[in-house]
Amino acid sequence: MRDTKERFSYTTVCLHWIVGLIIISLLAVGTYMEEFEAYNLYPIHKSIGMLIFVIILGRVAWRLINGWPAPAANYKKWEHNLAVVVHWTLLIGTIIFPISGMIMSGAAGHGLAIFGLEVYPLNPDPLDSSNVIALNETMAGIAHEIHEILGKVFILAIALHIAGALKHHLIDKDGTLRRMLGKKLAS
Ligand code: HEM
Ligand code: HEM
């Protein structure tokens, strides 16, 4: 079933909440582990990020095949435009996160494994096996910058997104949030 103005498909609803909640968790874990140098969390962050990437690709493909759903109500022009910008940012950003993560880890020599299953190996320093040697420091640095800046952009975009959803639900009392919870618009 495709999305209609009256009702979203279960595919849209499930994909939205699975990807949305995992992205929020990865943002929190990523920021925490970077800030507090919690290196034991890195493999978990990377593994979940890789697994969710597969679902993200499915979600983006589904959005492109299905098209964007019609607005649930008559939003003001600026509100609609802001929502379009935020939705595109969130959709494209979810692809850039794992790609920049993979490039960062690979080029920095840290290797990548999904819950122990090796995707590409570490590049250990032969003179000090507790250290790794970058394969391409510039590339790793650029990918790191992208990952970090995107983290800040996402915190802002998600805050706006949630504020918008709550405004529609609590102030405008339209069906925007209910529809994303799988409910019918008119009921
Ligand atoms: C898919 C969604 C992902 C999200 C939302 C996400 C989010 C984040 C955030 C917010 C940070 C903290 C950045 C900072 O403040 O510097 C971070 C750090 C990091 N992420 Fe991700 N990430 C994702 C996927 C991945 C993947 C797939 C990988 C690797 C394959 C990865 C590797 C890393 C690494 C290595 C760091 C630490 C960087 C450092 O300590 O310098 N991430 N992530
Ligand atoms: C608890 C947090 C969240 C709430 C309450 C929420 C709520 C909503 C609602 C009500 C809509 C429908 C908007 C409309 O009909 O115009 C929507 C759409 C959307 N949301 Fe969220 N959302 C949340 C988290 C996220 C996160 C973290 C992401 C990022 C990955 C995200 C990405 C999207 C996208 C791309 C759309 C456009 C429709 C689609 O492609 O499915 N949301 N959200």
Side-chain angles (χ1 to χ4, degrees):
M1 185 188 102
R2 291 198 172 208
D3 294 339
T4 63
K5 186 179 172 191
E6 287 306 306
R7 185 171 219 151
F8 282 172
S9 62
Y10 287 118
T11 314
T12 289
V13 174
C14 291
L15 287 174
H16 174 267
W17 291 110
I18 292 170
V19 173
L21 295 179
I22 290 187
I23 290 289
I24 291 175
S25 315
L26 286 173
L27 278 172
V29 171
T31 308
Y32 175 89
M33 71 189 201
E34 220 267 343
E35 184 72 25
F36 297 102
E37 299 183 356
Y39 296 120
N40 56 328
L41 293 177
Y42 278 53
I44 301 173
H45 177 87
K46 287 159 69 167
S47 300
I48 296 178
M50 291 304 293
L51 291 180
I52 196 67
F53 187 33
V54 178
I55 302 179
I56 286 169
L57 290 177
R59 166 159 158 71
V60 173
W62 170 247
R63 182 50 60 231
L64 296 178
I65 292 165
N66 188 94
W68 291 89
N74 286 326
Y75 305 144
K76 292 186 196 80
K77 186 102 182 107
W78 69 266
E79 252 180 344
H80 178 69
N81 291 342
L82 184 60
V84 169
V85 171
V86 170
H87 290 165
W88 272 108
T89 306
L90 292 175
L91 204 67
I92 294 172
T94 50
I95 302 182
I96 300 176
F97 260 125
I99 292 177
S100 57
M102 280 188 270
I103 296 174
M104 161 173 39
S105 291
H110 288 292
L112 176 63
I114 303 175
F115 291 114
L117 184 74
E118 189 170 274
V119 179
Y120 44 79
L122 271 171
N123 189 33
D125 180 347
L127 301 176
D128 172 7
S129 59
S130 65
N131 199 16
V132 293
I133 302 180
L135 299 174
N136 188 329
E137 228 165 296
T138 314
M139 213 158 141
I142 294 172
H144 186 204
E145 279 295 304
I146 292 174
H147 210 77
E148 189 172 341
I149 293 168
L150 197 56
K152 307 217 162 28
V153 170
F154 253 50
I155 290 170
L156 181 69
I158 293 172
L160 271 173
H161 187 62
I162 295 177
L166 290 177
K167 176 195 176 274
H168 283 293
H169 192 66
L170 300 173
I171 300 174
D172 302 337
K173 298 193 192 311
D174 60 36
T176 305
L177 180 59
R178 284 169 45 76
R179 192 171 63 162
M180 196 39 110
L181 292 167
K183 306 240 166 66
K184 212 167 163 220
L185 203 54
S187 65

